[in-house]
Every structure is written in C-alpha cells, then in structure tokens.
C-alpha cells in the first residue's frame, strides 16, 4: 500500500507576473500592469494541481529561508500537499519573471536560486518518500544530475513521469525510465535534435519513442495531444474548447493530472483525455496555482 499517489520532485518558484499589451522585442521597453506575486515553479505547481484533484501528494524541493519560500510552503500546505520533503535554505528561493499578453500567451525567465541546490544527496536522503509513492514526476528546472538520481531511487513498482522543461538532451538512463515522457512542440524538437526530420507531430511521437521511453505524450495546445506507446501505436486526444485567459501553469496541471490518473489505473489515452480537461479549466483563470481546478470542477466541464 502506497502512502502517496504522487511524489513530485522539482522546482518551487515565486512567480512575478506582469500583464503586457505585447511582449517586448530585443532592446525594447513596454509598460505593463501592476506586479502580481504568485506561488509557482513546475514542481510546486504539479504538486498543488494533483492535490486539488484529490491525490495524496508529496513534494521534494528546496526553497530559500525568505518570504518567497514561506509563500510557497503556505500554498503547498493549503492545497493539502505533504511538505515533509521540502528543504529550506542554501540559496534564495527561485523566481520566475512572467509576462502575459491579452491572448493569454506567456514568456518566462527563471532564476533557479534554491532549485539549483537540490542535489542527488537530497534525493538519496528522501528514499523513504520514493518507496512510499505510486508515481514519481519531475521536470528540468532542477539539476539534471538530480533527475538522474531520481530515476536510480525509484521503487521497483512505481511509475516515472518526466516533463523535460526547459528542454535539453537527456541521458539514455532517464529516457528509458519515462512512462510517459511529456513534451510540447518546442521540447520535442530540442530533444530530437537532428532526428527531427518531420513537421508532423505523429512522427515526433514515433521518433521520441524510438529513443527509449516506454510511452510518449506530445501536447499540442488547442489541437489536443498525441499519446504513443510501443504496444498501442499513436493516438490523437481531442482538446476541450475554451476561451483562454492565461496559459501559465497549464502544462503543469496537465502533467499532474495525467500522472495521477495513471497511478489510479487509467490507460494512457484515458489519462490524457482527463488531463486535457484539467488543463482546459486552468487556462480560463489567471495565475498558475490559483487556476488549478478541483475534481468536481473538472467533472462539471
């Protein structure tokens, strides 16, 4: 019996958000809205999103001993996330600088701060969390060597989910553990590199699968997503049509929902369809964690 449906290992940032009429070009200054500060970071976002859906969730992360760190810890606890794995100190809390235009699209620059100090040793020290978790999810806003150590400390029966964001080439050891690897168009192209010889998302999914993951999900925004596995081929999952207000955190909500549903026994296509509904609700609201829905809200969509 697992104590947690999902263990998230990853980043925790303070999101500093400014609304703009358009995002600035090189050398250009634009005026924006008042600054808003929200709890964020891909790891913290995924943990809150899963907990809101009813998952028993734990977070392994590092924050600074500062106001932003306290904001993040408070938001995790308010959502019902177990913060026993959140380490405090070593560097200031990570910060994400986010601009959001009227269509809801965003641009993000991240200062990793304490996230860059989450070490392989921290992972090894938290082995009891890994043994107690049905699914483990991570991203690349923490050091790659730490992600490798996550793979090496997985329980034999647990499932590993990776969203390689921000994208970079991945070791074979990490790719082979992914079930699934979840990428958007940009991430797919970076990971494929010279192997990206097609403009068709179906081909990206097949090419990514050939690199070793047990399964792959390619998210396509308003066009839905693709799921691929060696046994099931490639299947397109339709999106849910909504009026987007702010896409910040939507990918994290999708990943968390998919990981949670997989751990509950859903098939990959079914889990991706549910995750699409969760992401659809999230983009209709401003902010990252503030936008994440409950299971009841997803059911009402």
């Amino acid at each position: 019996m697992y104590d947690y449906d999902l263990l998230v290992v990853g980043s925790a940032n303070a999101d500093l958000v400014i609304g703009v009429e358009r995002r600035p070009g090189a050398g250009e200054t634009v005026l924006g809205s008042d600054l808003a500060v929200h709890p964020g970071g891909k790891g913290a976002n995924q943990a809150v999103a899963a907990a809101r859906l009813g998952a028993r969730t734990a977070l392994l992360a590092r924050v600074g001993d500062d106001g932003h760190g306290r904001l993040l810890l408070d938001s995790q606890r308010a959502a019902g996330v177990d913060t026993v794995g959140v380490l405090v100190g070593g560097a200031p809390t990570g910060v994400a600088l986010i601009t959001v235009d009227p269509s809801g699209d965003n641009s993000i620059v991240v200062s990793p701060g304490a996230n860059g100090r989450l070490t392989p040793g921290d992972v090894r020290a938290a082995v009891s969390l890994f043994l107690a978790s049905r699914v483990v999810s991570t991203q690349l806003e923490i050091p790659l060597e730490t992600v490798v150590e996550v793979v090496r400390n997985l329980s034999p029966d647990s499932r590993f989910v990776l969203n390689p964001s921000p994208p970079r080439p991945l070791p074979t050891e990490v790719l082979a553990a992914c079930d699934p690897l979840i990428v958007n168009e940009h991430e797919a192209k970076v990971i494929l590199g010279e192997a990206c010889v097609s403009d068709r998302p179906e081909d990206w999914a097949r090419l990514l699968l050939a690199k070793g993951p047990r399964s792959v999900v390619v998210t396509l925004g308003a066009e839905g997503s693709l799921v691929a596995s060696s046994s099931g081929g490639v299947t397109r999952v339709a999106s849910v049509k909504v009026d987007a207000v702010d896409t910040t955190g939507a990918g994290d909500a999708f990943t968390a929902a998919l990981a949670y549903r997989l751990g509950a026994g859903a098939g990959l296509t079914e889990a991706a369809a549910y995750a699409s509904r969760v992401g659809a609700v999230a983009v209709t609201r401003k902010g990252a964690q503030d936008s994440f829905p409950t299971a009841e809200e997803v059911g009402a969509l």
Side-chain angles (χ1 to χ4, degrees):
M1 178 66 180
Y2 291 102
D3 295 326
Y4 303 106
D5 300 307
L6 179 64
L7 168 63
V8 181
V9 185
S11 58
N13 294 324
D15 286 349
L16 310 185
V17 184
I18 299 177
V20 292
E21 285 300 313
R22 58 184 177 82
R23 285 169 285 177
E28 182 183 16
T29 299
V30 300
L31 294 178
S33 67
D34 291 342
L35 175 69
V37 181
H38 304 285
K42 287 186 172 297
N45 285 351
Q46 286 185 16
V48 168
R52 289 257 178 90
L53 295 171
R56 297 169 300 164
T57 309
L59 174 65
L60 174 57
R62 184 176 286 277
V63 299
D65 185 10
D66 50 34
H68 288 156
R70 289 185 285 277
L71 169 72
L72 286 156
L73 282 167
D74 287 346
S75 70
Q76 293 293 309
R77 291 165 180 158
V81 176
D82 190 336
T83 59
V84 66
V86 180
L87 306 168
V88 179
T93 301
V95 173
L97 309 176
I98 303 173
T99 58
V100 182
D101 70 17
S103 73
D105 285 334
N106 61 64
S107 296
I108 304 174
V109 178
V110 175
S111 172
N115 298 307
R117 275 72 165 184
L118 188 67
T119 66
D122 295 332
V123 170
R124 291 190 293 271
V127 65
S128 60
L129 285 176
F130 289 86
L131 296 175
S133 301
R134 185 181 303 277
V135 179
V136 177
S137 176
T138 191
Q139 327 78 37
L140 298 183
E141 287 184 339
I142 57 176
L144 183 57
E145 62 184 10
T146 304
V147 174
V148 172
E149 195 64 27
V150 167
V151 169
R152 292 173 179 172
N153 283 269
L154 294 170
S155 168
D157 297 324
S158 65
R159 190 162 186 164
F160 178 64
V161 176
L162 174 65
N163 172 219
S165 179
R168 59 184 295 180
L170 294 169
T172 301
E173 180 179 5
V174 172
L175 284 168
C178 295
D179 193 14
L181 174 74
I182 303 175
V183 293
N184 62 20
E185 176 180 350
H186 172 63
E187 292 154 2
K189 290 180 176 178
V190 170
I191 292 171
L192 286 172
E194 294 181 356
C196 189
V197 293
S198 171
D199 291 327
R200 298 181 68 247
E202 289 84 358
D203 292 333
W204 303 340
R206 294 186 182 95
L207 289 166
L208 286 166
L209 201 60
K211 283 185 167 289
R214 302 176 192 182
S215 58
V216 170
V217 176
V218 181
T219 60
L220 302 169
E223 301 304 313
S225 60
L226 295 173
V227 301
S229 64
S230 56
S231 59
V234 179
T235 303
R236 185 174 284 269
V237 178
S239 65
V240 178
K241 303 304 180 184
V242 294
D243 293 324
V245 173
D246 183 359
T247 60
T248 307
D252 301 326
F254 179 97
T255 297
L258 188 143
Y260 171 41
R261 294 305 301 160
L262 288 175
L268 188 59
T269 302
E270 178 188 348
Y274 180 78
S276 291
R277 294 197 294 274
V278 173
V281 177
V283 300
T284 64
R285 304 168 178 174
K286 290 185 178 181
Q289 294 179 20
D290 289 343
S291 74
F292 298 155
T294 64
E296 290 76 15
E297 290 170 328
V298 176
L301 181 63

